[in-house]
Amino acid sequence: MQLDFSSKETWLHRINPSLKLFVLIMLCIIVLLVHNLLFMMNFTVIVLILFLCFTGQPTKRILLLFIPFFVVFLSTSSSLIFFGQGNTTWFKWGLIHITEESFFRGLLVGFRALLFAILGLTFALTTRPVYLFYSLMQQVKLNPKYAYSFMAALRLIPIMLEEFQTIQNAMRVRGVVRQTGIRSVFLKMKAYSIPMLSGSIRRAHRIAVAMEAKRFSDTRNRTYYYEIGFSKYDIVFILYFVTLLLAGYYGAIKGV
Amino acid sequence: MTKGLKLTDILVTIVIAIAFGIVYILWGSVYYALKPIGLHADQFMYGMWFIAANVAFFIIRKPGVALLAEIAAASGEFLLGSPWGLTVLLYGVVQGLFAELVFMAFKYKRFHISVAILSAIAACLGSVLMDFAYGEIGDLVAWNLTLFMIARFLGSILFAGVCAYYLVKVLEATGVTNLVRPASSKDYAELDQK
Amino acid sequence: MERIAHVEKLRLKFPGDTSLLFKDLSSTFYKGEKVLLLGPSGCGKSTLLQVLSGLIPHSIEVPMKAEELVSPTSWGYVFQDPDSQFCMPFVDEEIAFVLENINVPKQQMIDRIHHHLQQVGLHLPDIHTSIQTLSGGMKQRLAIASILALKPDVLFLDEPTAMLDPKGTKEIWNVLKEVGQEKTVIIVEHKIDHVLEFIERIILFNEAGQIIADGPKEKILSTYKNEMREQGIWFPGVWEEYLDTTPLLRSRKPFEKKEKVLEVQNFKGFRQKEEKILVDDLQAYSGEWIVIKGENGAGKSTLLHAFMQFIKTTGHCELVGIAIKKVKKQTDFMTFVFQNPEFQFVANSVYEEIAYSLKVDKVDSREIEIKVEELLEWFQLVDHWDKHPYQLSMGQKRRLSVAASIVKEQKLILLDEPTFGQDSKNTFALLEWIEELRLKGTTIIMITHDEQIINNFATRIWTIEAGKVISDEIQSMNMKTELVSV
Ligand SMILES: Nc1ncnc2c1ncn2[C@@H]1O[C@H](COP(=O)(O)OP(=O)(O)OP(=O)(O)O)[C@@H](O)[C@H]1O
Ligand SMILES: Nc1ncnc2c1ncn2[C@@H]1O[C@H](COP(=O)(O)OP(=O)(O)OP(=O)(O)O)[C@@H](O)[C@H]1O
Ligand SMILES: [Mg+2]
Ligand SMILES: [Mg+2]
């Protein structure tokens, strides 16, 4: 979500958000069905190209965003690699038992998680939530009640974060001394979570009332400020995956 | 099933869920911090990811809320760019559905702590099923898998069951729950005074 | 005449309250009427407006019943609180949301958005501006713009200008008068100067939520003066009466420079790394009552936030002779009342809210009790002591936020529009309490748009324009002579 991740617009931004979401979910299902490690690696490269070159983010931020990917990869693969079942033992030390089968299983699962992560982040970085929900209302006929609730809730996120500041200020005005250190983090969590949650609920309630006062109803035939349709980029997007995935699959079978 | 939800219910549920969505993302780092300890200590923390369904349901007490909350929390997490990406979205649906089924079994009329614990266990079960389909934890050796299960279920009961229940109790003290729950018939009766 | 809204024997009670807010209240509104609801703070005006529009019970459930209840079909509602009536992140999207609701074709939307923003005088360089970054007054204008987009037959206005500067207030009322010409307009407003020529009928409430008078405005204003005085309503001439009868003001000693409490030089405040306020050189001495004035969005609140160190600041700032960043516990010396009262509530009941600071300081519980009760009494909150702060009416919230902040009687008190949305009785009570503190040597720095307060209470005036303090004048003390001529 582009809260403060300002970025250049690329062709990925211009793809119809519903279509983008649909394609990504299809890709995920394909990923779940893949058991060929080579194909999985080709797949990862294909998606990685999109992420690295076309999210419109500055290189520095891309590299920064890459860190959690490694964590995801390592954490998912490691437990299977170390503790998985298998016959061909490569290494054994105490409880740790690495076998050939478990090693490849681990890598496969690791790549799978990595792919999910890259796909998800690519989507998040190139889609403005407001457009996504407008598109979902128009193309998928999502009930406006849900769509606008989501949009209103997402609007509240920066406000909630600001609320944290507000509560802190309020407490300071009342003479609660600011503390530092680990203990204070815990105390803060306790002191802030309840007011933040109850504040958010009150705010949500009021916004719902204000929305109804603005004649919001859940009839589906409404006009839209953002009319979101399809464009040539959608075709490019689909073709990109179809051709490259076929090529990747072919390559994997041939052992590239 | 969710036909009965008013705009207020939906918006409040989604806001609660998205607030937890943020917590979920932050929780990810706690989870990974425990990962290197090994032996599935991290699994104990997993239960936190089911808390939204229970909190939202115990606040609003209506059918469909638990499912909606878990989906919304996952979408929030997804849209904010969590590294777990789309995985959470799929998991969210299943976990929410399992929690919802428990509330449905009680006809949405029981709000005891035991119901909270049961739904936490159900959501946990959902997540384990997903793990079998997706993470192939079935390939873990038996003793390791057992440890994994125990840690995850215990964590779920603690975080999503007990913690969620008491969180709502504290919220009730602030009076905010009155906003979203129907007024009591006693209040209506008092309109006829004098 | 066609009936447009009607209640018959309305009974309403908030959950948990013991007594009814309305007991068998009946009233009828006719098409094209311009009606003003007048009454003391907390008498139930906002609540009644919500019932008339149908928001209660359709969107907000409150136990109520009525023998007959007629709500209009096409209406717009401007809420008292500007902060929580938006559901979209950007200005254009917010108005577009309304236009979508009434099925305006997309091609017309941009023009309509510009038109409505123009109408309320909200001039933005780019309509795709984040609502988050607007000042309080700008938000209120946006709220009105989005209501105008509905093109409603009936307008419910709940103090739409409470947060606006005098110029803005005048502009907004001009707009509302123009667009409201053909419509039915039901208004709740404490400050009636601008509304008076527009409305035809006044409904007068008392503290108990009963209608004590209802009729053409001339008749009400001439025959019910005593009742209005008693209920603390801002009828024309109330200030003059007050100044004539209050000894406190006459005995004001001329101000003499004593202890320096606050000093700033080349002081800047930043929001999101942007410089939002700049002060060259200012001092505040003990016993001063400084008023900050300036247009909406000029940076008044930002200046106080900078003093409180809520935002990033640079430059020289000294509190009681110590660099402010070195002061260990600032709140022993200074306190602050937020523009939005809800921003400062930290406790779960009115009583606890006022007691909070004292409890943090571990003051003796008996002493707390005495102090809190005195404040509850003075600020007319006794009946509501156990409510949650959020359940109060706007004026009550405002008073609570002031009471809770000044309970410790620090040397320096910063107040951000403490009198908005207040009836006259409570306004005077509040001003007197503050004046009392000032006479004891407290320094008051207060943002207000109220000319009367500026003329009659301030000892010094700071004017802010476009993020810069442009003037610092000492107010002459012998205003008594001026006042006679008012
Ligand atoms: N949600 C609530 N729960 C309990 N009491 C409430 C609630 N909302 C309002 N009240 C009480 O009902 C009374 C009327 O409130 P209302 O907001 O209608 O007053 P008002 O006339 O608009 O006052 P003001 O001029 O200060 O805005 C107040 O005493 C307030 O404390
Ligand atoms: N949280 C914020 N983030 C960014 N910009 C802000 C924020 N709050 C205010 N601003 C901007 O800072 C400027 C000064 O705002 P400020 O709230 O200080 O105005 P003000 O003089 O108090 O106005 P009002 O009379 O409407 O309260 C405005 O241009 C406003 O858009
Ligand atoms: Mg009111
Ligand atoms: Mg301000």
Side-chain angles (χ1 to χ4, degrees):
Chain A
M1 164 155 166
Q2 306 179 308
L3 276 182
D4 34 22
F5 285 146
S6 47
S7 68
K8 287 202 307 282
E9 249 201 25
T10 66
W11 65 279
L12 281 184
H13 287 86
R14 297 193 197 114
I15 297 165
N16 182 295
S18 301
L19 180 107
K20 206 183 330 181
L21 187 63
F22 177 74
V23 170
L24 289 200
I25 291 175
M26 290 319 285
L27 288 176
C28 284
I29 293 173
I30 298 175
V31 171
L32 276 181
L33 300 175
V34 172
H35 289 274
N36 178 327
L37 187 60
L38 266 180
F39 180 39
M40 196 68 117
M41 284 155 92
N42 288 342
F43 204 146
T44 312
V45 171
I46 293 166
V47 178
L48 209 54
I49 292 172
L50 280 189
F51 174 71
L52 292 178
C53 307
F54 299 111
T55 45
Q57 300 285 329
T59 326
K60 217 169 101 195
R61 200 177 289 152
I62 294 237
L63 291 178
L64 207 67
L65 290 169
F66 228 77
I67 300 169
F69 287 0
F70 279 110
V71 182
V72 167
F73 182 75
L74 290 179
S75 76
T76 321
S77 52
S78 62
S79 68
L80 260 181
I81 292 182
F82 291 150
F83 305 112
Q85 294 169 342
N87 302 322
T88 331
T89 302
W90 281 1
F91 179 79
K92 192 165 173 153
W93 183 75
L95 292 173
I96 296 178
H97 182 196
I98 303 181
T99 62
E100 186 183 326
E101 289 87 343
S102 75
F103 182 75
F104 285 114
R105 265 270 135 69
L107 277 190
L108 190 74
V109 171
F111 272 112
R112 185 176 287 170
L114 185 64
L115 257 175
F116 272 54
I118 303 175
L119 284 173
L121 200 59
T122 307
F123 182 85
L125 285 176
T126 57
T127 314
R128 209 185 139 216
V130 169
Y131 294 149
L132 170 64
F133 288 107
Y134 266 90
S135 166
L136 286 175
M137 279 190 286
Q138 290 167 44
Q139 271 91 46
V140 192
K141 303 287 170 235
L142 175 69
N143 188 330
K145 237 180 358 183
Y146 292 93
Y148 282 94
S149 294
F150 264 103
M151 287 192 269
L154 288 172
R155 179 183 104 80
L156 280 179
I157 293 179
I159 297 182
M160 279 187 231
L161 298 180
E162 211 166 88
E163 182 109 339
F164 189 80
Q165 188 72 46
T166 307
I167 294 171
Q168 184 164 336
N169 289 343
M171 299 234 181
R172 267 170 72 194
V173 168
R174 298 313 183 71
V176 180
V177 190
R178 244 208 287 199
Q179 289 159 318
T180 45
I182 292 285
R183 225 179 94 79
S184 80
V185 172
F186 186 74
L187 282 178
K188 250 188 202 162
M189 245 171 69
K190 226 179 86 182
Y192 288 27
S193 57
I194 298 299
M196 277 181 73
L197 203 52
S198 70
S200 308
I201 296 173
R202 283 180 200 283
R203 195 160 276 148
H205 181 258
R206 259 189 242 168
I207 289 177
V209 172
M211 280 166 75
E212 280 177 354
K214 286 180 185 166
R215 230 26 52 65
F216 176 77
S217 65
D218 51 352
T219 50
R220 276 158 211 241
N221 51 359
R222 44 190 294 132
T223 54
Y224 295 102
Y225 182 49
Y226 297 121
E227 273 171 10
I228 295 179
F230 295 95
S231 67
K232 60 176 190 288
Y233 298 109
D234 300 315
I235 302 168
V236 175
F237 187 61
I238 294 175
L239 283 181
Y240 176 86
F241 280 110
V242 172
T243 46
L244 286 187
L245 281 182
L246 282 179
Y249 185 63
Y250 183 74
I253 291 175
K254 291 275 175 229
V256 181
Chain B
M1 177 169 58
T2 50
K3 261 275 166 289
L5 290 181
K6 290 190 301 183
L7 178 69
T8 322
D9 303 324
I10 295 174
L11 189 57
V12 170
T13 306
I14 293 181
V15 166
I16 294 172
I18 298 233
F20 277 106
I22 300 174
V23 174
Y24 286 3
I25 292 181
L26 300 178
W27 200 251
S29 28
V30 179
Y31 183 74
Y32 290 119
L34 289 177
K35 203 109 202 179
I37 298 177
L39 299 182
H40 302 308
D42 52 335
Q43 289 306 317
F44 187 69
M45 313 307 283
Y46 202 99
M48 187 63 154
W49 279 301
F50 317 134
I51 193 173
N54 269 356
V55 171
F57 174 76
F58 275 84
I59 289 175
I60 298 172
R61 299 180 166 181
K62 285 193 182 159
V65 166
L67 177 61
L68 178 62
E70 200 59 22
I71 293 177
S75 323
E77 214 182 332
F78 168 60
L79 289 173
L80 287 171
S82 146
W84 284 104
L86 284 160
T87 327
V88 287
L89 211 55
L90 301 180
Y91 273 63
V93 176
V94 175
Q95 291 158 8
L97 204 62
F98 273 68
E100 184 75 36
L101 286 175
V102 170
F103 299 129
M104 195 193 285
F106 287 99
K107 299 209 171 70
Y108 303 104
K109 288 218 171 70
R110 286 290 158 77
F111 312 107
H112 192 253
I113 186 166
S114 53
V115 181
I117 290 176
L118 275 180
S119 86
I121 293 175
C124 185
L125 193 68
S127 76
V128 169
L129 288 182
M130 282 301 285
D131 272 353
F132 272 105
Y134 160 86
E136 306 185 21
I137 49 170
D139 285 338
L140 289 174
V141 288
W143 65 266
N144 204 283
L145 190 60
T146 318
L147 202 64
F148 177 98
M149 292 293 179
I150 291 177
R152 184 178 287 189
F153 274 98
L154 275 184
S156 305
I157 291 173
L158 179 70
F159 287 113
V162 179
C163 278
Y165 182 81
Y166 283 102
L167 187 65
V168 175
K169 274 267 169 284
V170 180
L171 276 176
E172 274 170 9
T174 69
V176 69
T177 45
N178 294 337
L179 277 182
V180 281
R181 290 184 193 161
S184 68
S185 49
K186 179 173 153 281
D187 277 317
Y188 278 96
E190 278 176 21
L191 286 173
D192 296 318
Q193 61 183 243
K194 277 159 278 171
Chain C
M1 265 189 298
E2 191 186 330
R3 258 186 358 179
I4 200 121
H6 174 69
V7 281
E8 182 76 42
K9 295 223 155 127
L10 170 71
R11 281 176 171 228
L12 181 143
K13 183 181 97 66
F14 281 104
D17 279 6
T18 41
S19 58
L20 298 173
L21 179 60
F22 297 123
K23 195 172 172 201
D24 299 331
L25 182 123
S26 307
S27 194
T28 310
F29 300 84
Y30 297 96
K31 197 174 165 148
E33 264 192 323
K34 320 277 183 275
V35 191
L36 174 67
L37 308 185
L38 262 185
S41 166
C43 71
K45 304 178 296 296
S46 302
T47 312
L48 181 61
L49 219 52
Q50 286 172 355
V51 173
L52 289 173
S53 66
L55 278 177
I56 295 178
H58 292 297
S59 301
I60 310 170
E61 194 191 347
V62 176
M64 59 153 280
K65 64 172 201 178
E67 280 181 11
E68 203 187 345
L69 184 58
V70 182
S71 300
T73 44
S74 161
W75 50 273
Y77 196 119
V78 179
F79 291 88
Q80 223 170 340
D81 168 25
D83 246 319
S84 46
Q85 34 189 310
F86 307 115
C87 69
M88 301 294 286
F90 290 93
V91 169
D92 57 337
E93 290 170 359
E94 180 63 33
I95 298 179
F97 167 70
V98 177
L99 296 174
E100 290 172 1
N101 288 343
I102 53 172
N103 278 316
V104 172
K106 177 191 156 73
Q107 300 78 6
Q108 298 170 18
M109 281 190 190
I110 292 278
D111 287 341
R112 285 280 298 269
I113 293 171
H114 279 290
H115 170 69
H116 294 302
L117 289 175
Q118 211 59 245
Q119 265 185 318
V120 295
L122 188 57
H123 306 288
L124 299 167
D126 177 10
I127 53 168
H128 196 65
T129 298
S130 164
I131 296 177
Q132 214 30 27
T133 62
L134 302 182
S135 78
M138 292 155 94
K139 281 185 191 151
Q140 195 62 291
R141 284 173 202 238
L142 175 60
I144 297 170
S146 58
I147 293 313
L148 293 182
L150 278 173
K151 299 213 166 147
D153 293 339
V154 183
L155 282 175
F156 294 103
L157 307 173
D158 195 353
E159 301 188 40
T161 59
M163 298 261 200
L164 297 190
D165 54 36
K167 190 166 137 257
T169 308
K170 209 164 159 195
E171 280 169 17
I172 289 291
W173 278 117
N174 284 340
V175 172
L176 289 171
K177 280 169 200 169
E178 205 182 294
V179 297
Q181 210 66 58
E182 308 290 303
K183 305 181 195 296
T184 315
V185 189
I186 304 176
I187 305 169
V188 172
E189 183 65 81
H190 284 294
K191 297 288 175 87
I192 58 178
D193 332 358
H194 294 283
V195 213
L196 224 43
E197 52 177 289
F198 179 50
I199 52 145
E200 300 146 2
R201 173 178 158 200
I202 293 179
I203 301 180
L204 202 58
F205 290 83
N206 66 7
E207 277 158 5
Q210 293 158 326
I211 294 178
I212 48 177
D214 182 355
K217 68 175 170 197
E218 295 80 12
K219 182 157 160 267
I220 301 280
L221 288 177
S222 56
T223 41
Y224 288 91
K225 214 161 186 162
N226 275 329
E227 284 81 355
M228 288 200 272
R229 186 178 302 118
E230 240 165 66
Q231 300 298 332
I233 282 156
W234 288 114
F235 59 89
V238 78
W239 263 105
E240 288 75 3
E241 253 191 58
Y242 172 74
L243 295 170
D244 277 342
T245 52
T246 317
L248 190 72
L249 289 170
R250 271 185 233 129
S251 68
R252 287 176 70 166
K253 291 181 297 232
F255 157 75
E256 51 199 284
K257 279 191 183 178
K258 281 185 292 195
E259 189 193 345
K260 199 189 277 177
V261 177
L262 185 77
E263 175 172 35
V264 290
Q265 269 150 17
N266 193 18
F267 183 65
K268 291 175 183 166
F270 298 83
R271 274 190 204 277
Q272 274 125 38
K273 302 213 173 86
E274 253 178 84
E275 179 188 314
K276 286 284 182 191
I277 188 76
L278 166 70
V279 193
D280 288 331
D281 185 13
L282 283 178
Q283 290 92 28
Y285 294 88
S286 66
E288 277 196 293
W289 183 318
I290 300 167
V291 160
I292 301 178
K293 64 176 189 179
E295 289 184 2
N296 289 131
K300 304 180 294 297
S301 305
T302 309
L303 178 62
L304 296 195
H305 282 233
F307 285 155
M308 290 304 291
Q309 303 291 309
F310 290 163
I311 57 176
K312 203 177 155 301
T313 62
T314 61
H316 175 76
C317 179
E318 248 177 37
L319 181 65
V320 290
I322 315 168
I324 197 154
K325 287 180 178 151
K326 297 231 173 69
V327 179
K328 271 229 188 57
K329 206 174 161 205
Q330 276 169 32
T331 44
D332 283 344
F333 303 100
M334 70 201 300
T335 186
F336 179 54
V337 177
F338 289 81
Q339 181 163 16
N340 184 343
E342 292 184 355
F343 281 1
Q344 77 187 66
F345 295 145
V346 288
N348 281 336
S349 78
V350 171
Y351 187 98
E352 290 299 319
E353 190 66 42
I354 301 182
Y356 193 88
S357 305
L358 300 176
K359 283 192 176 162
V360 168
D361 282 359
K362 310 219 165 44
V363 176
D364 171 60
S365 66
R366 183 75 204 123
E367 218 171 291
I368 295 181
E369 211 171 292
I370 293 172
K371 188 80 206 174
V372 174
E373 267 159 27
E374 184 190 7
L375 279 164
L376 283 175
E377 188 73 45
W378 191 264
F379 287 96
Q380 292 205 27
L381 292 167
V382 184
D383 295 339
H384 309 284
W385 68 274
D386 60 342
K387 276 196 177 148
H388 193 280
Y390 278 88
Q391 291 177 332
L392 298 176
S393 82
M394 195 60 151
Q396 291 165 341
K397 276 180 200 156
R398 182 76 279 192
R399 298 197 303 270
L400 174 60
S401 69
V402 176
S405 304
I406 62 175
V407 61
K408 260 173 72 177
E409 304 196 354
Q410 288 93 331
K411 273 200 158 78
L412 175 61
I413 301 183
L414 310 177
L415 303 117
D416 198 343
E417 305 194 28
T419 58
F420 84 78
Q422 226 49 260
D423 58 38
S424 67
K425 213 175 178 176
N426 282 304
T427 304
F428 295 141
L430 194 138
L431 290 171
E432 279 167 25
W433 186 277
I434 296 174
E435 176 71 6
E436 204 72 49
L437 291 176
R438 187 188 76 83
L439 290 174
K440 283 194 230 162
T442 306
T443 310
I444 315 292
I445 301 182
M446 175 167 149
I447 297 175
T448 186
H449 294 301
D450 191 325
E451 284 297 325
Q452 294 284 12
I453 297 179
I454 298 176
N455 292 337
N456 298 307
F457 286 87
T459 63
R460 187 195 281 269
I461 301 165
W462 294 347
T463 312
I464 298 187
E465 214 178 271
K468 194 165 183 309
V469 178
I470 54 159
S471 82
D472 168 15
E473 343 157 37
I474 298 208
Q475 169 103 336
S476 67
M477 277 292 105
N478 47 359
M479 72 278 293
K480 190 65 196 155
T481 43
E482 282 171 32
L483 279 169
V484 181
S485 60
V486 169

